[in-house]
Amino acid sequence: MIQMINDATSVSATGTVLVVEDSRSLRSLLSAYLDDAHGLKTVEAGSLAEAQAALALDPTRFFAAVLDLNLPDAPEGQVVDLVQRHGIPVVVLTGSMDPLLRETMLSKQVVDYFIKHNRNEIEQVAHTLGRLWQNRQIKVMVVDDSPSFRAYLQSLLESYRYQTLTANNGREALKRLAEHPETSLVITDVNMPEMNGLELIEAIRQQYRREDLAVIGMSDTSKPGLSARLLKTGANDFIAKPFQAEEFFCRVTQNTNMMEYVRRLREAATRDVLTGLANRRHVLEVGEKLYANARRGHFQIALGMIDVDHFKQVNDRFGHLVGDDALKRIAVALSQSLRVSDIVGRYGGEEFICLLVLKQDDDAELVLERVRAAVARVDFEDGGTPIPLTVSIGFTTELENSLLQMIGRADRAVYRAKAEGRNRVVRLLQPRASAPIPGVPDAGGGLPLGGRRGSEDRGSCRRDNTGAAPNRCD
């Protein structure tokens, strides 16, 4: 069920919900769910008069409203008409729902209705409102050769706050998809000129997997076997014409929810929970592809290892929560100072890894020096006590025989950067005959870039008796 919106520009850009319910405890419970689960603000009212006062101040601040149908001064749902006059989507709360009341709600075109049975229903109300708020970021395309039916579906979707695109036929739909590759859902009729719905779905599946772009096929029920053909061709779902708005929104919501679940799962699989950067596994997967292309001569790459200086001291003195905050701030500095074409992720602990695609060999030195300087400028403190943050960076442009060997060379360059005073960038060149640097395993030649040469305590970096790489000195 929906509320039609005639003026989309009246929707507030802030996530504020008007809650009109005469039970104070129920209002508070819903407000808590909305705040905790979705970060949405609420304005509460216990009567029609209070709702009128809240709307009089500024109705455009509300992107949706939750309304009790039985208020002391509006026992027959008059509050729904009041709120709808301001173009605000309405979710209804009621103590019971008989067939007549349901038909009344359908005629008023509310977004949805919930019966106040128990706490779970309040959770569902909160989920529905959170979904409305998130829908503003989701693009849905309607493909149909009937202008009136396209307009009808577009109005339904926009009432649920989806961004909508339209196309007359399959060919136009493919062109629009190329212009808007972030589209999450396509709703297409089967019978269209130039390119029909089945041909469109087949063409979409040549470019997009089902979990990347959902497709709902539409047609009348008089054609036996059509729903199976649509699903076999690549549609995620099917809806028969004519349909009720309730069924339409159930199917649309199910498919957009699935896209969101897939996105979250992918993010969980590829992102570091603490810093939000790519995790080690994802960086290595992408790195192997970049490395393979570099070996074929398509472009040059550099691999850099970035290690936070004196991080153990930060944890020991200020605690691990402050240490976590420091890593988050450093991650932001890395992201902001690297280029769009560069890949950066958390390798483990206080260590980060980056892969740079180069136009020329010297680019790596300039980029990584910018990274080092960006971290050194981070203004970080705890309780008024400044905490300086710096990183030692080692990198290589030597392709070696594998990506892991590149990591090993860059890792050894970090040891050299630590030994030479930290807060610097070091490039490890091909090994050459030279006197070894004490405490730096298999250092090879090194070239310090930027930073300062100081007399800091260099610590101790030794291999254990297993021959494994040591824990790098802080």
Side-chain angles (χ1 to χ4, degrees):
M1 291 182 296
I2 61 160
Q3 182 222 348
M4 309 301 288
I5 299 170
N6 296 320
D7 183 8
T9 62
S10 67
V11 180
S12 171
T14 62
T16 304
V17 179
L18 174 63
V19 179
V20 186
E21 164 64 52
D22 61 335
S23 169
R24 180 178 297 178
S25 61
L26 198 56
R27 291 200 309 268
S28 299
L29 180 62
L30 180 56
S31 296
Y33 272 122
L34 289 171
D35 184 32
D36 293 343
H38 305 286
L40 298 174
K41 301 175 183 178
T42 58
V43 172
E44 299 180 15
S47 65
L48 180 68
E50 291 178 7
Q52 288 174 323
L55 291 167
L57 289 175
D58 180 14
T60 63
R61 57 184 164 151
F62 301 116
F63 84 92
V66 181
L67 309 178
D68 182 9
L69 287 184
N70 188 8
L71 296 170
D73 54 348
E76 297 180 0
Q78 296 93 328
V79 67
V80 175
D81 297 324
L82 168 69
V83 173
Q84 285 186 327
R85 284 198 294 269
H86 294 279
I88 301 171
V90 169
V91 174
V92 164
L93 276 175
T94 179
S96 63
M97 182 65 72
D98 57 42
L100 179 60
L101 185 56
R102 177 180 176 275
E103 289 302 319
T104 302
M105 291 302 99
L106 284 170
S107 67
K108 290 182 181 294
Q109 297 180 315
V110 301
V111 169
D112 211 339
Y113 59 85
F114 294 88
I115 302 173
K116 294 183 279 187
H117 283 316
N118 51 49
R119 187 186 185 112
N120 290 335
E121 289 299 300
I122 302 303
E123 290 184 20
Q124 284 301 112
V125 173
H127 176 77
T128 298
L129 291 165
R131 181 76 265 172
L132 283 177
W133 184 245
Q134 293 171 7
N135 286 350
R136 301 170 308 115
Q137 308 301 323
I138 298 175
K139 287 186 178 180
V140 180
M141 181 183 297
V142 176
V143 189
D144 198 293
D145 60 330
S146 167
S148 60
F149 195 72
R150 276 202 319 273
Y152 170 64
L153 292 185
Q154 187 175 13
S155 67
L156 293 182
L157 292 165
E158 289 179 351
S159 73
Y160 260 58
R161 297 305 190 237
Y162 290 107
Q163 297 183 46
T164 58
L165 307 167
T166 61
N168 296 318
N169 54 59
R171 293 192 187 283
E172 185 177 339
L174 292 176
K175 181 179 179 182
R176 300 299 309 273
L177 271 178
E179 296 168 349
H180 302 272
E182 71 281 10
T183 301
S184 297
L185 172 64
V186 172
I187 304 171
T188 180
D189 191 23
V190 171
N191 299 311
M192 297 181 295
E194 295 192 42
M195 177 184 280
N196 64 38
L198 288 166
E199 294 170 330
L200 169 61
I201 294 170
E202 187 174 356
I204 286 175
R205 288 295 168 244
Q206 292 177 8
Q207 303 178 55
Y208 300 90
R209 296 176 298 181
R210 282 176 169 85
E211 60 268 29
D212 295 325
L213 175 61
V215 178
I216 298 177
M218 295 183 301
S219 189
D220 60 67
T221 56
S222 63
K223 299 179 180 178
L226 180 57
S227 60
R229 286 185 63 195
L230 284 165
L231 295 171
K232 287 291 186 181
T233 302
N236 298 67
D237 206 346
F238 169 79
I239 187 167
K241 297 179 181 178
F243 49 77
Q244 290 189 335
E246 288 172 292
E247 180 189 1
F248 175 77
F249 281 120
C250 282
R251 294 187 183 278
V252 168
T253 301
Q254 281 180 343
N255 282 278
T256 53
N257 279 345
M258 186 58 64
M259 295 296 101
E260 178 68 12
Y261 296 151
V262 169
R263 185 193 65 79
R264 290 182 182 179
L265 285 172
R266 284 179 176 170
E267 195 167 274
T270 61
R271 292 288 162 186
D272 174 60
V273 175
L274 177 65
T275 64
L277 297 178
N279 61 23
R280 176 175 177 161
R281 176 182 176 182
H282 185 59
V283 171
L284 292 180
E285 287 178 353
V286 175
E288 290 290 356
K289 296 175 183 177
L290 291 176
Y291 178 83
N293 277 282
R295 292 286 295 183
R296 297 186 188 103
H298 295 168
F299 45 70
Q300 285 184 285
I301 62 171
L303 189 146
M305 300 298 291
I306 304 167
D307 196 277
V308 183
D309 296 326
H310 300 301
F311 186 70
K312 185 176 184 300
Q313 296 178 19
V314 175
N315 278 337
D316 291 347
R317 181 179 177 187
F318 299 97
H320 288 278
L321 292 179
V322 173
D324 287 348
D325 287 340
L327 291 177
K328 293 176 186 176
R329 295 290 298 275
I330 290 170
V332 171
L334 297 181
S335 297
Q336 292 178 346
S337 55
L338 287 169
R339 305 162 302 179
V340 175
S341 60
D342 301 326
I343 305 297
V344 62
R346 188 180 180 195
Y347 198 69
E350 68 272 24
E351 192 171 23
F352 301 87
I353 181 173
C354 64
L355 287 151
L356 316 178
V357 177
L358 309 176
K359 291 183 178 179
Q360 54 190 22
D361 191 72
D362 292 343
D363 283 353
E365 301 175 5
L366 298 174
V367 172
L368 292 173
E369 174 57 26
R370 185 170 68 236
V371 169
R372 181 206 64 79
V375 174
R377 288 194 301 269
V378 171
D379 184 15
F380 188 65
E381 63 175 39
D382 178 59
T385 302
I387 305 175
L389 298 176
T390 62
V391 291
S392 297
I393 303 176
F395 80 97
T396 182
T397 57
E398 305 287 345
L399 288 181
E400 304 285 349
N401 294 316
S402 69
L403 182 69
L404 290 180
Q405 286 189 7
M406 288 189 74
I407 292 174
R409 179 176 290 275
D411 208 40
R412 293 193 296 273
V414 176
Y415 282 106
R416 180 177 286 270
K418 296 279 189 181
E420 292 183 352
R422 301 178 177 84
N423 190 24
R424 64 191 60 243
V425 180
V426 168
R427 178 181 186 178
L428 198 62
L429 302 174
Q430 287 285 3
R432 63 175 184 269
S434 61
I437 296 177
V440 181
D442 191 20
L447 179 63
L449 303 167
R452 64 183 188 282
R453 293 185 178 271
S455 57
E456 297 178 80
D457 176 19
R458 297 180 183 182
S460 170
C461 305
R462 298 186 179 89
R463 292 183 180 272
D464 61 25
N465 56 16
T466 66
N471 292 325
R472 185 180 298 121
C473 49
D474 223 21

